[in-house]
Amino acid sequence: MASHAKTLQSSYPWTTSPLITSAPMRLIAGEALTLSVSRSHGLGFLAIGTDLASLALLKTITTSLHENPIPNTPPGILPIGVGFICFGIDLAAAVSTISSAPQKPAAAWLFAPREENDLIAWSSGIRDASAGKTAIWIQIGTVASALQVARTCRPDVLVIQGSDAGGHGLAHSSSLISLLPECADALSKAGFGHIPLIAAGGIADGRGVASASMLGAAGICMGTRFLCSPEAAISDGYRGAVLRAGDGGVSTARTKLYDRLRGTTGWPEQYDGRAVLNHSFWDHEKGVAEEENRRLYGESVKLGDEGWGEKARMTTYAGTGVGLINKIMPAGEIVKEVSRDAKTLLKRGASHL
Amino acid sequence: MASHAKTLQSSYPWTTSPLITSAPMRLIAGEALTLSVSRSHGLGFLAIGTDLASLALLKTITTSLHENPIPNTPPGILPIGVGFICFGIDLAAAVSTISSAPQKPAAAWLFAPREENDLIAWSSGIRDASAGKTAIWIQIGTVASALQVARTCRPDVLVIQGSDAGGHGLAHSSSLISLLPECADALSKAGFGHIPLIAAGGIADGRGVASASMLGAAGICMGTRFLCSPEAAISDGYRGAVLRAGDGGVSTARTKLYDRLRGTTGWPEQYDGRAVLNHSFWDHEKGVAEEENRRLYGESVKLGDEGWGEKARMTTYAGTGVGLINKIMPAGEIVKEVSRDAKTLLKRGASHL
């Protein structure tokens, strides 16, 4: 673990340890969130998601970083990551954009390929296009995938996603508390113990970070917590719904319903999404026909922020950490607070026993 | 947290911190497991479950402890706990047994009442019967229940059960990583910050214990790990199935199927159980009729240990930690190893950052 933390810090020398990253949340993690996190000694991930047009943001970010650089950025590197939802986006176009960029993103986060072996072409494509400057991060949710991907793609980092995570993830998985150490053991036994692990799913504050560190993580990723930063590109209605939700195991659940209602298609069968429950879900449970539920959803969309109000129906992807979040805070402040609190807990260590 | 660890050690002075407990697993946690854990500086819980006859074991245990006492046991106290599944057992009979016992169990673990408010009578009944010597431990799985029970029952300890736990628990919940800190915050805000929290669900080794400690737990409970001790009263077939299972988020799942197949009835609607998946489950998924599946289950029962073999069908309740367990070890050794490993990790604390 000691060497893992050092590996990450030497790869991303503007960051502090344990590494705090922001998830490449599709449609949500844009320039503002990404740069705020990286400017506060974290690693922000820009969501390319399934939309190649988002790659244009690399230019804007390059300009912004040229005008106001982040100290300790290695030459030729953009001190941010980019996140791809592999099943839904063209590898060749992604590769060509990275290839033509004067500076390369420090990391590419790969998630949800149509077939696991598609990650082989993604990994080598991005490595070639960036002359090895863009590190390959792969997100998985089972021990079998961790091993398979380690063997076939030799990733620089593995992101281990547990069942508490918001938005898309495996419908059938365990939480970090057993998944992370089991992955660590299996990887180590198979000769991949050098790969740093990033913990994702249910972490929303310094306690979660310190906890993940004890499980063997060299860093962590948060999504839901950053939804409650002004930099997240979501409406105030969505943000408010996340803030109001508490008792995260009860107020959220994993389901495919919201993708169906809002017409998000193409996710491989094994994925669903964790969301804050609302009338769309409860009506579904009551047996309201899907067509009618979709119509009501459409009505709700027209309401704007009110679509997440008292009679909320709109998709509110978020993790079980919702109840740990009780205020809106700038993303950079979140990174600093969480990092400081985690270090305090880890330094205290065993002194209270 | 500091004061919580001290509270537990002053209440159970034969134990070390963080407190390691064994779950009162119905039909599984008998005299051997309970005493082995308590004799190794942990707190073993005897499963009374739903069977009052199990209370007779208190006499056997009293005799055993008289012959071979555990040092630092307070006078009039049995250095073990007893666990009740409240919906299925008669409070008056439980109270009368405890009342007539010359020495009182150090703790009573209450779980799964028919109605949450039934815990009020249980708490006061056991407190009265033991002249306050038996501490009240209540297991919950949501923040709302933690608050409600704290207000109505003033428990001495709350056991916080996350979604990774094996056997019965809430069908709809989050894992410890967000549930434990959210409970801690809510309890603290409501004036119940003095109640020590025990983390349960997915913990199988020292990393899980250290992790739970960072989340705010004063101690932990393991069930699945102890299934792989010779002291657990299960057949070798069951034990072998737990040992063989890996990738715990994939090889186990929460379901009500196994209760139906083996004829376990009466659990309130909100509970299901996490088990190692086998042919019973896969046939159910394939659409095999329940009657036929039950018949096949019955055939399997006749096979004994082979009922958990290659064509396994029998109920194998276990948590997502199955993949962290790779050998059978005496229960006392488990307590010592887990405790030692947790302390090493906690002492190292932030030194690797």
Side-chain angles (χ1 to χ4, degrees), chain B residues 37-306:
Chain B
V37 170
S38 282
R39 287 196 189 285
S40 301
H41 309 292
L43 173 53
F45 275 87
L46 177 71
I48 309 302
T50 53
D51 177 18
L52 277 172
S54 313
L55 274 166
L57 281 175
L58 274 186
K59 271 197 192 164
T60 331
I61 287 178
T62 305
T63 307
S64 166
L65 285 165
H66 181 73
E67 285 163 7
N68 183 10
I70 294 179
N72 299 319
T73 302
I77 295 284
L78 288 178
I80 60 150
V82 287
F84 298 98
I85 296 172
C86 298
F87 77 80
I89 192 163
D90 183 43
L91 169 58
V95 157
S96 135
T97 310
I98 289 175
S99 185
S100 64
Q103 289 170 287
K104 313 301 182 194
W109 172 314
L110 309 179
F111 179 46
R114 178 68 49 203
E115 306 284 343
E116 202 155 83
N117 278 340
D118 295 349
L119 292 169
I120 302 172
W122 271 90
S123 302
S124 63
I126 288 173
R127 281 198 172 110
D128 290 351
S130 70
K133 285 183 175 166
T134 300
I136 301 301
W137 289 40
I138 298 180
Q139 176 173 319
I140 55 81
T142 69
V143 180
S145 283
L147 283 173
Q148 175 70 7
V149 153
R151 283 195 192 101
T152 55
C153 304
R154 308 278 156 162
D156 298 288
V157 168
L158 280 168
V159 182
I160 313 291
Q161 188 191 34
S163 54
D164 297 284
H168 289 89
L170 292 179
H172 194 178
S173 67
S174 69
S175 88
L176 288 172
I177 206 146
S178 58
L179 179 61
L180 202 126
E182 196 185 346
C183 284
D185 288 350
L187 288 164
S188 182
K189 203 172 158 190
F192 299 107
H194 59 280
I195 302 177
L197 306 181
I198 299 288
I203 299 172
D205 63 19
R207 291 170 290 188
V209 178
S211 165
S213 173
M214 290 288 131
L215 295 173
I220 65 93
C221 173
M222 294 188 295
T224 305
R225 176 71 192 263
F226 288 114
L227 292 178
C228 294
S229 73
E231 290 89 347
I234 58 177
S235 76
D236 287 340
Y238 187 162
R239 210 177 332 259
V242 173
L243 262 189
R244 282 193 305 277
D247 218 343
V250 178
S251 64
T252 73
R254 308 202 65 92
T255 175
K256 293 184 188 231
L257 176 72
Y258 291 101
D259 273 355
R260 292 201 304 272
L261 294 181
R262 69 172 184 176
T264 303
T265 56
W267 279 89
E269 179 57 25
Q270 66 269 34
Y271 296 95
D272 64 6
R274 184 180 286 281
V276 177
L277 302 180
N278 58 24
H279 288 277
S280 292
F281 184 84
W282 300 318
D283 276 355
H284 174 73
E285 295 271 284
K286 278 180 209 153
V288 169
E290 195 114 334
E291 198 182 327
E292 170 65 3
N293 212 346
R294 203 176 296 121
R295 189 191 66 75
L296 290 166
Y297 191 90
E299 293 299 314
S300 203
V301 171
K302 295 177 197 155
L303 300 176
D305 283 343
E306 286 307 306

Side-chain angles (χ1 to χ4, degrees), chain A residues 31 34-35 39 46 55-70 76-80 82 97-98 100-105:
Chain A
E31 182 192 349
T34 306
L35 280 177
R39 287 193 188 287
L46 177 71
L55 274 166
L57 281 175
L58 274 186
K59 272 198 189 162
T60 331
I61 288 179
T62 305
T63 306
S64 165
L65 285 165
H66 181 74
E67 284 163 6
N68 183 10
I70 294 178
I77 295 284
L78 288 178
I80 61 151
V82 287
T97 309
I98 289 176
S100 64
Q103 288 169 288
K104 313 301 183 195

Side-chain angles (χ1 to χ4, degrees), chain A residues 109-139:
Chain A
W109 173 314
L110 310 179
F111 179 45
R114 178 68 50 200
E115 306 285 344
E116 201 155 82
N117 278 340
D118 295 350
L119 292 170
I120 302 173
W122 271 89
S123 302
S124 63
I126 288 174
R127 281 198 172 110
D128 290 351
S130 69
K133 286 182 173 165
T134 300
I136 302 300
W137 288 41
I138 298 180
Q139 176 173 319

Side-chain angles (χ1 to χ4, degrees), chain A residues 317-346:
Chain A
Y317 280 134
T320 64
V322 286
L324 294 167
I325 308 170
N326 47 40
K327 61 178 168 188
I328 294 170
M329 198 187 278
E333 295 301 309
I334 292 174
V335 177
K336 285 176 201 163
E337 182 198 90
V338 165
S339 180
R340 184 193 63 221
D341 290 352
K343 276 177 199 150
T344 303
L345 274 169
L346 288 167

Side-chain angles (χ1 to χ4, degrees), chain B residues 4-28:
Chain B
H4 289 158
K6 280 173 194 152
T7 301
L8 289 178
Q9 271 199 284
S10 70
S11 302
Y12 316 106
W14 68 93
T15 66
T16 51
S17 178
L19 181 63
I20 310 289
T21 73
S22 55
M25 297 174 280
R26 189 171 81 92
L27 309 172
I28 297 172

